[in-house]
Amino acid sequence: MTALEVIRPGMATTVQDWPGRTGYWQVGVPPSGPMDDVSFRLANIAVGNPEGAPGLEATMGGPALRFDTDTWVCVTGAPAPVTVDRARVAQWVPFLVEAGQVLDIGMVDCPGLRMYLALAGGLQADEYLGSASTFTLGRFGGHEGRALAVGDKLETADAPVGTRRRILFEEQPAISNHWYIAVTVGPHSAPEFFTRNDIDTLLNHDYEVHFNSDRTGVRLIGPKPEWARPDGGEAGLHPSNIHDNAYSVGSLDFTGDTPILLGPDGPSLGGFVCPVTVTAADRWKLGQLAPGATIRFIPVKATAAPAPATVGPARRASIPAVFSAGGDEDNGIIAGTTSSDGTTAVTYRRIGDDNVLVEYGEMRLDLALRARAHALHHALEQHRPDGLIDLTPGIRSLQVKVDPARLPQSALVPLLAELEASLPAAQDLVVPSRTVRLPLSWDDPSTREAIERYMHGVRADAPWCPWNIEFIRRMNGLDSVDDVHRIVYDAEYLVLGLGDVYLGAPVATPLDPRHRLVTTKYNPARTWTPENAVGIGGAYLCIYGMEGPGGYQFVGRTTQIWNHRHPLVAQGFDPEHPWLLRFFDRIQWYPVSAEELLDLRADMAAGRGHVEITDGTFSLAEHEQFLAANAADIAVKRTAMEVARAEERERWAAAGEFARKESA
């Protein structure tokens, strides 16, 4: 076993394995893993490891490492000076580092951004949920859940090693300053969300990589869309806003008017439209997109996209251009059918070549649509076809992720339609539904700090600043902020999705429509949100599972919903998994002061906290009876809120908010 000492950590150097942490997308755990999986896999092949063995990923500048045992290594990825005791060695070729020597990987020479280091036997690393990949935002995996630091000691795993070999020039991925990236159209295209001119511009214009990019997403600079609709309705005032659905790594996510290519540390669920998605075989390119590089998106047919397993040793990645006879001309909609009772439209949307988004009904919040998605989710889990990887429900949808080599979309969609025809009526749905009581520190100082940071660092003139709660009041036509307070504490929130902003974060809506406060999301998003902040975006409430960016309008802060501390488990958490909440749980709030919340958070972090949970069920039929009995009063309250939102939209238009251009 080899020990390595970190002399210089480099920039954001982390332990990764491939394919990363799969199977937890539905609870907001991203796969992580190498951004450029081709270079990573080839490094492992060079030293005789399995392609997925843990190794190092470095960004822009690499580490300096002292070895205490003779070790075969290989460095791949973006071009950079590599030396052993100051003697230059080649990339893409395995070489021996002798005991006591220092391996030094310098700054990227250009083009490209990331380098990879594989060691014979692989690295010993902390596994979490089945993977050694580091997810720094979640603080788990790899080496102590973080990037390397000076003085860290790493060890090789000492796994069996096969034959070493150099990586031939024609096998090496083509790294450039101008990229051609294969995309499929969908899930959200023209004419529903974007104009035809928007899509034409997207596919015929060079986009520039913004310096503010990372593993969560690659932010791009490019034309602002015209948009095919004035707003997102009850999902939010901006036309990019939709009811939350699952994302894919490689989707081009428009957060407001800003396009972002979602990376392997990106969110699994969100409320923004995605017009195109990078094909699975081309996603390695995201890892080498350096600031200032340019991108041209090339539409391809999903059936023509190569399988990811064929990229790398099969040399497809060595071709710098993308050859295409054109993309699918269906605007991202593969097919459609109706529910088994004939009452609800079912739409099958393409997300890359490895996902299908099954969407129910019209673009509105209706728990019957969520019930239909749940019924399909359950049927697929029971059927479990070969090639199925992940099932991630949204508000009115279910994303089905597959291995396209084993279950291509051409076979998946007929299977989904066949299952749909066999599903029971949504009104028959009765599911477990626990009541979870959580503390809420109203207008918590940490959320005030986040707003102040936003005003100083991002945007001071936003309509929701300087106080989100006042903005919520105005958006919903309420007389005072006390009315906002009363409604939030009176409401019972039904959890419809998990992972909205990572790590078991719920997207939930009040069961009583009179409690459904509707807002819009920050545009542009915040760069920092405190862990377990509570906010409202569109018609939905969310608890942030961890620190990170965000866009929901704050109302307060609560205790942890993800158990970061194993094996100590606070009462209420399932020892078998770290997330607190489940689909169809009901969240109720009780008030605490900011000081009381800090004590409760400390108790939860120490594993001695307590969450009050009561078992129960949710019946859609009973819920619809409640809606019918209160229909008149619900209509009056909802109409008043809709009038207030229309007035706010007019104020935005008069102030030039919709014509505003975000600075690069």
Side-chain angles (χ1 to χ4, degrees):
M1 184 176 291
T2 300
L4 316 173
E5 181 182 359
V6 178
I7 308 302
R8 185 190 69 247
M11 301 176 67
T13 302
T14 56
V15 176
Q16 302 293 339
D17 63 7
W18 179 79
R21 193 169 285 106
T22 59
Y24 297 95
W25 200 238
Q26 65 175 276
V27 292
V29 180
S32 299
M35 279 198 80
D36 173 1
D37 70 282
V38 173
S39 293
F40 180 90
R41 290 156 54 200
L42 288 169
N44 272 319
I45 288 171
V47 297
N49 290 340
E51 293 183 29
L56 294 182
E57 174 183 88
T59 303
M60 194 173 295
L65 307 167
R66 179 179 289 113
F67 287 67
D68 74 353
T69 306
D70 293 359
T71 308
W72 283 93
V73 304
C74 183
V75 179
T76 62
V82 182
T83 61
V84 175
D85 281 356
R86 300 186 179 181
R88 190 73 178 256
V89 293
Q91 291 178 262
W92 305 99
V93 177
F95 57 89
L96 183 67
V97 182
E98 296 179 354
Q101 289 186 320
V102 174
L103 168 65
D104 191 312
I105 305 172
M107 299 292 291
V108 170
D109 285 333
C110 191
L113 188 63
R114 289 180 172 84
M115 299 86 71
Y116 294 91
L117 172 65
L119 301 91
L123 278 173
Q124 184 70 42
D126 300 332
E127 280 208 1
Y128 187 80
L129 297 178
S131 171
S133 284
T134 309
F135 180 41
T136 56
L137 291 176
R139 305 193 303 276
F140 52 70
H143 184 75
E144 299 179 2
R146 59 171 171 80
L148 298 187
V150 173
D152 281 346
K153 300 288 179 60
L154 306 176
E155 295 181 344
T156 58
D158 206 23
V161 176
T163 303
R164 297 185 299 274
R165 71 173 181 89
R166 67 171 55 235
I167 303 303
L168 302 177
F169 178 77
E170 58 266 30
E171 296 176 305
Q172 299 169 24
I175 298 176
S176 173
N177 279 322
H178 179 68
W179 294 86
Y180 297 92
I181 298 181
V183 296
T184 60
V185 175
H188 310 116
S189 186
E192 295 173 279
F193 305 95
F194 295 86
T195 66
R196 174 50 54 193
N197 187 56
D198 287 335
I199 300 301
D200 290 344
T201 299
L202 175 65
L203 298 176
N204 293 284
H205 187 280
D206 288 349
Y207 284 76
E208 181 182 342
V209 177
H210 193 278
F211 67 87
N212 186 19
S213 299
D214 55 26
R215 286 178 51 86
T216 64
V218 179
R219 183 178 173 185
L220 303 179
I221 302 169
K224 177 180 175 179
E226 298 172 352
W227 299 106
R229 54 187 192 150
D231 55 50
E234 62 185 347
L237 280 187
H238 196 276
S240 66
N241 297 158
I242 56 172
H243 295 289
D244 285 40
N245 61 211
Y247 292 139
S248 169
V249 174
S251 282
L252 184 64
D253 185 34
F254 272 81
T255 56
D257 297 313
T258 303
I260 299 175
L261 281 168
L262 298 178
D265 283 356
S268 63
L269 197 69
F272 295 104
V273 295
C274 301
V276 296
T277 301
V278 178
T279 61
D282 253 23
R283 288 174 198 157
W284 69 268
K285 296 177 180 178
L286 273 62
Q288 300 298 351
L289 295 177
T294 55
I295 295 171
R296 177 65 64 95
F297 294 113
I298 308 298
V300 300
K301 290 181 169 59
T303 54
T310 68
V311 176
R315 306 177 184 176
R316 290 181 187 268
S318 66
I319 303 173
V322 174
F323 300 102
S324 172
D328 293 289
E329 297 181 357
D330 52 18
N331 296 319
I333 298 176
I334 306 172
T337 186
T338 57
S339 58
S340 57
D341 59 6
T343 63
T344 305
V346 185
T347 305
Y348 301 102
R349 297 180 182 271
R350 179 187 302 104
I351 306 184
D353 57 321
D354 56 348
N355 296 277
V356 169
L357 183 70
V358 185
E359 198 171 71
Y360 289 92
E362 301 298 321
M363 183 71 72
R364 60 190 173 89
L365 174 53
D366 182 345
L367 296 186
L369 303 181
R370 179 63 181 88
R372 293 188 182 281
H374 177 77
L376 179 61
H377 189 167
H378 180 73
L380 279 164
E381 285 186 330
Q382 296 297 311
H383 188 71
R384 207 70 200 178
D386 179 55
L388 180 64
I389 295 175
D390 264 317
L391 296 169
T392 308
I395 300 303
R396 47 186 281 268
S397 61
L398 178 70
Q399 180 176 280
V400 184
K401 181 175 179 59
V402 297
D403 176 352
R406 291 186 288 159
L407 186 55
Q409 289 175 348
S410 58
L412 174 60
V413 171
L415 171 63
L416 294 173
E418 181 181 345
L419 284 175
E420 186 65 43
S422 69
L423 297 179
Q427 283 67 25
D428 294 338
L429 178 78
V430 179
V431 296
S433 178
R434 309 177 307 168
T435 298
V436 182
R437 295 192 72 244
L438 292 172
L440 179 64
S441 167
W442 185 256
D443 197 19
D444 191 79
S446 66
T447 61
R448 285 281 194 161
E449 179 188 350
I451 297 172
E452 290 174 5
R453 289 196 196 184
Y454 181 82
M455 292 179 66
H456 284 110
V458 181
R459 186 183 175 194
D461 65 342
W464 43 87
C465 293
W467 193 19
N468 291 176
I469 294 174
E470 164 58 23
F471 176 68
I472 295 171
R473 180 205 68 77
R474 191 170 74 238
M475 278 277 293
N476 291 277
L478 302 177
D479 293 333
S480 71
V481 293
D482 289 339
D483 290 331
V484 182
H485 182 280
R486 173 184 54 79
I487 289 173
V488 170
Y489 281 100
D490 284 350
E492 189 173 47
Y493 293 89
L494 188 70
V495 175
L496 303 181
L498 293 171
D500 188 49
V501 275
Y502 299 104
L503 303 192
V507 54
T509 194
L511 281 167
D512 188 337
R514 291 167 292 192
H515 294 152
R516 287 179 188 162
L517 302 172
V518 177
T519 71
T520 195
K521 304 179 185 76
Y522 281 45
N523 177 30
R526 292 184 301 274
T527 56
W528 178 75
T529 302
E531 181 187 62
N532 306 131
V534 180
I536 298 173
Y540 305 105
L541 175 135
C542 179
I543 305 170
Y544 284 76
M546 62 186 198
E547 285 190 12
Y552 282 62
Q553 305 290 337
F554 293 123
V555 295
R557 194 185 191 197
T558 188
T559 48
Q560 292 87 335
I561 56 170
W562 187 271
N563 176 28
H564 286 283
R565 192 180 179 92
H566 289 282
L568 296 177
V569 180
Q571 187 175 351
F573 280 90
D574 185 337
E576 296 300 317
H577 56 63
W579 54 94
L580 173 66
L581 298 168
R582 304 173 188 173
F583 301 123
F584 294 101
D585 276 354
R586 308 175 195 221
I587 300 172
Q588 294 179 347
W589 301 112
Y590 64 89
V592 295
S593 68
E595 293 74 21
E596 289 172 322
L597 180 67
L598 291 177
D599 289 340
L600 290 170
R601 289 182 58 78
D603 286 344
M604 292 291 285
R608 58 176 179 265
H610 170 73
V611 181
E612 182 182 331
I613 298 176
T614 305
D615 290 333
T617 59
F618 170 75
S619 164
L620 182 64
E622 291 178 4
H623 176 67
E624 292 187 339
Q625 289 171 8
F626 166 81
L627 296 180
N630 294 275
D633 191 46
I634 289 172
V636 170
K637 297 290 197 306
R638 300 303 298 167
T639 298
M641 290 179 173
E642 288 166 7
V643 168
R645 287 195 293 277
E647 292 172 349
E648 180 70 14
R649 191 183 187 284
E650 290 175 1
R651 286 191 289 268
W652 282 28
E657 179 69 18
F658 296 110
R660 178 181 176 273
K661 290 187 178 180
E662 183 187 345
S663 62

